[in-house]
mmCIF file of all heavy atoms in Angstrom:
data_model
loop_
_atom_site.group_PDB
_atom_site.id
_atom_site.type_symbol
_atom_site.label_atom_id
_atom_site.label_comp_id
_atom_site.label_asym_id
_atom_site.label_seq_id
_atom_site.Cartn_x
_atom_site.Cartn_y
_atom_site.Cartn_z
ATOM 1 N N GLY U 102 -361.947 176.780 39.648
ATOM 2 C CA GLY U 102 -363.371 176.543 39.835
ATOM 3 C C GLY U 102 -364.154 176.638 38.541
ATOM 4 O O GLY U 102 -363.626 176.985 37.487
ATOM 5 N N GLY U 103 -365.433 176.317 38.622
ATOM 6 C CA GLY U 103 -366.308 176.365 37.466
ATOM 7 C C GLY U 103 -367.148 175.113 37.383
ATOM 8 O O GLY U 103 -367.075 174.235 38.242
ATOM 9 N N LEU U 104 -367.961 175.034 36.377
ATOM 10 C CA LEU U 104 -368.777 173.846 36.132
ATOM 11 C C LEU U 104 -368.492 173.341 34.713
ATOM 12 O O LEU U 104 -369.022 173.901 33.743
ATOM 13 C CB LEU U 104 -370.265 174.176 36.307
ATOM 14 C CG LEU U 104 -370.733 174.410 37.732
ATOM 15 C CD1 LEU U 104 -372.191 174.860 37.749
ATOM 16 C CD2 LEU U 104 -370.572 173.138 38.560
ATOM 17 N N PRO U 105 -367.694 172.314 34.579
ATOM 18 C CA PRO U 105 -367.018 171.599 35.661
ATOM 19 C C PRO U 105 -365.760 172.314 36.138
ATOM 20 O O PRO U 105 -365.244 173.196 35.452
ATOM 21 C CB PRO U 105 -366.661 170.267 35.004
ATOM 22 C CG PRO U 105 -366.411 170.650 33.574
ATOM 23 C CD PRO U 105 -367.426 171.719 33.267
ATOM 24 N N ALA U 106 -365.282 171.917 37.324
ATOM 25 C CA ALA U 106 -364.018 172.444 37.827
ATOM 26 C C ALA U 106 -362.870 171.808 37.051
ATOM 27 O O ALA U 106 -363.014 170.723 36.474
ATOM 28 C CB ALA U 106 -363.888 172.138 39.322
ATOM 29 N N GLN U 107 -361.749 172.509 37.029
ATOM 30 C CA GLN U 107 -360.587 172.051 36.258
ATOM 31 C C GLN U 107 -359.431 171.733 37.207
ATOM 32 O O GLN U 107 -359.088 172.534 38.078
ATOM 33 C CB GLN U 107 -360.149 173.133 35.264
ATOM 34 C CG GLN U 107 -361.249 173.639 34.355
ATOM 35 C CD GLN U 107 -361.724 172.574 33.383
ATOM 36 O OE1 GLN U 107 -360.926 171.807 32.853
ATOM 37 N NE2 GLN U 107 -363.023 172.537 33.141
ATOM 38 N N LEU U 108 -358.842 170.586 37.001
ATOM 39 C CA LEU U 108 -357.653 170.175 37.753
ATOM 40 C C LEU U 108 -356.556 169.855 36.739
ATOM 41 O O LEU U 108 -356.793 169.109 35.794
ATOM 42 C CB LEU U 108 -357.957 168.946 38.614
ATOM 43 C CG LEU U 108 -356.767 168.221 39.254
ATOM 44 C CD1 LEU U 108 -356.027 169.134 40.221
ATOM 45 C CD2 LEU U 108 -357.232 166.942 39.958
ATOM 46 N N THR U 109 -355.391 170.452 36.936
ATOM 47 C CA THR U 109 -354.288 170.244 35.998
ATOM 48 C C THR U 109 -353.063 169.730 36.737
ATOM 49 O O THR U 109 -352.589 170.373 37.674
ATOM 50 C CB THR U 109 -353.918 171.556 35.276
ATOM 51 O OG1 THR U 109 -355.070 172.062 34.586
ATOM 52 C CG2 THR U 109 -352.802 171.312 34.265
ATOM 53 N N TYR U 110 -352.576 168.561 36.332
ATOM 54 C CA TYR U 110 -351.298 168.044 36.821
ATOM 55 C C TYR U 110 -350.193 168.568 35.909
ATOM 56 O O TYR U 110 -350.352 168.590 34.683
ATOM 57 C CB TYR U 110 -351.256 166.519 36.772
ATOM 58 C CG TYR U 110 -352.189 165.796 37.706
ATOM 59 C CD1 TYR U 110 -352.416 164.433 37.545
ATOM 60 C CD2 TYR U 110 -352.842 166.444 38.756
ATOM 61 C CE1 TYR U 110 -353.260 163.730 38.397
ATOM 62 C CE2 TYR U 110 -353.687 165.756 39.614
ATOM 63 C CZ TYR U 110 -353.900 164.399 39.428
ATOM 64 O OH TYR U 110 -354.733 163.702 40.261
ATOM 65 N N HIS U 111 -349.070 168.952 36.499
ATOM 66 C CA HIS U 111 -347.908 169.383 35.725
ATOM 67 C C HIS U 111 -346.798 168.334 35.865
ATOM 68 O O HIS U 111 -346.539 167.847 36.971
ATOM 69 C CB HIS U 111 -347.405 170.737 36.214
ATOM 70 C CG HIS U 111 -348.438 171.824 36.127
ATOM 71 N ND1 HIS U 111 -348.735 172.474 34.948
ATOM 72 C CD2 HIS U 111 -349.270 172.341 37.068
ATOM 73 C CE1 HIS U 111 -349.701 173.364 35.178
ATOM 74 N NE2 HIS U 111 -350.037 173.301 36.444
ATOM 75 N N TYR U 112 -346.164 167.996 34.761
ATOM 76 C CA TYR U 112 -345.139 166.958 34.823
ATOM 77 C C TYR U 112 -343.994 167.237 33.859
ATOM 78 O O TYR U 112 -344.107 168.062 32.946
ATOM 79 C CB TYR U 112 -345.750 165.579 34.519
ATOM 80 C CG TYR U 112 -346.165 165.355 33.076
ATOM 81 C CD1 TYR U 112 -345.235 164.960 32.113
ATOM 82 C CD2 TYR U 112 -347.482 165.539 32.663
ATOM 83 C CE1 TYR U 112 -345.609 164.756 30.794
ATOM 84 C CE2 TYR U 112 -347.865 165.333 31.344
ATOM 85 C CZ TYR U 112 -346.917 164.940 30.417
ATOM 86 O OH TYR U 112 -347.285 164.751 29.104
ATOM 87 N N VAL U 113 -342.882 166.531 34.111
ATOM 88 C CA VAL U 113 -341.764 166.502 33.173
ATOM 89 C C VAL U 113 -341.556 165.037 32.782
ATOM 90 O O VAL U 113 -341.882 164.136 33.551
ATOM 91 C CB VAL U 113 -340.474 167.069 33.798
ATOM 92 C CG1 VAL U 113 -340.633 168.548 34.096
ATOM 93 C CG2 VAL U 113 -340.094 166.305 35.067
ATOM 94 N N PRO U 114 -341.067 164.774 31.582
ATOM 95 C CA PRO U 114 -340.891 163.377 31.152
ATOM 96 C C PRO U 114 -339.850 162.645 31.986
ATOM 97 O O PRO U 114 -338.876 163.238 32.460
ATOM 98 C CB PRO U 114 -340.425 163.517 29.697
ATOM 99 C CG PRO U 114 -340.800 164.899 29.289
ATOM 100 C CD PRO U 114 -340.724 165.733 30.527
ATOM 101 N N GLY U 115 -340.058 161.346 32.148
ATOM 102 C CA GLY U 115 -339.086 160.498 32.808
ATOM 103 C C GLY U 115 -338.993 160.710 34.304
ATOM 104 O O GLY U 115 -339.806 161.411 34.918
ATOM 105 N N ASN U 116 -337.974 160.105 34.891
ATOM 106 C CA ASN U 116 -337.699 160.262 36.319
ATOM 107 C C ASN U 116 -336.754 161.444 36.486
ATOM 108 O O ASN U 116 -335.567 161.358 36.164
ATOM 109 C CB ASN U 116 -337.072 158.987 36.882
ATOM 110 C CG ASN U 116 -336.847 159.048 38.384
ATOM 111 O OD1 ASN U 116 -336.821 160.124 38.974
ATOM 112 N ND2 ASN U 116 -336.681 157.901 39.005
#
Side-chain angles (χ1 to χ4, degrees):
L104 288 174
Q107 307 293 321
L108 168 62
T109 302
Y110 293 167
H111 301 280
Y112 71 83
V113 294
N116 184 341

